[in-house]
């Protein structure tokens, strides 16, 4: 028979186990449980459904499919993080720079603020125009 621990190890043999996606889902399930205190049972039920799904993935023997799900999730998460980073950079840039668009070729040109009226030369098509920076 063996100890409980050994039996559990035997049971988990060839099963997928916990990955990043599962951990995030467990976090969301926990959040839903907290929300259910304020917004009612439906959140609690959603959390339970999520946990059932997490267990299904954990005990799954279809390693390849679960692995792909996790990869897809991580790719998606990274895309969102990259978008957020770009958005933050743009916000920070707005304080110190103006972004002008070349009237001729639509090239975006970044000009530092606070230099009065200046002549801008498009780096791409050499078109010149005057703007207040
Ligand atoms: Zn241009």
């Amino acid at each position: 028979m063996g100890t409980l621990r050994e039996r559990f190890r035997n049971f988990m043999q060839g099963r997928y186990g916990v990955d990043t996606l599962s951990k995030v889902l467990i976090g969301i399930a926990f959040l839903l449980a907290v929300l259910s205190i304020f917004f009612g049972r439906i959140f609690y039920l959603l959390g339970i459904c999520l946990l059932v799904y997490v267990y299904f993935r954990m005990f799954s023997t279809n390693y390849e499919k679960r692995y792909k799900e996790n990869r897809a999730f991580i790719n998606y998460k990274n895309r969102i993080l990259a978008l957020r980073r770009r958005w933050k950079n743009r916000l920070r840039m707005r304080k110190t720079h103006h972004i002008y668009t070349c009237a001729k070729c639509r090239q975006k040109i970044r000009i530092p603020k606070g230099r009065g009226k200046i002549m801008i030369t498009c780096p791409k098509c050499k078109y010149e125009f005057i703007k207040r920076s």
Side-chain angles (χ1 to χ4, degrees), residues 102-107 109 122-127:
C102 172
K104 218 170 157 190
C105 72
R106 316 306 300 168
Q107 167 74 34
I109 307 161
C122 172
K124 206 170 157 193
C125 70
K126 307 300 174 206
Y127 177 71

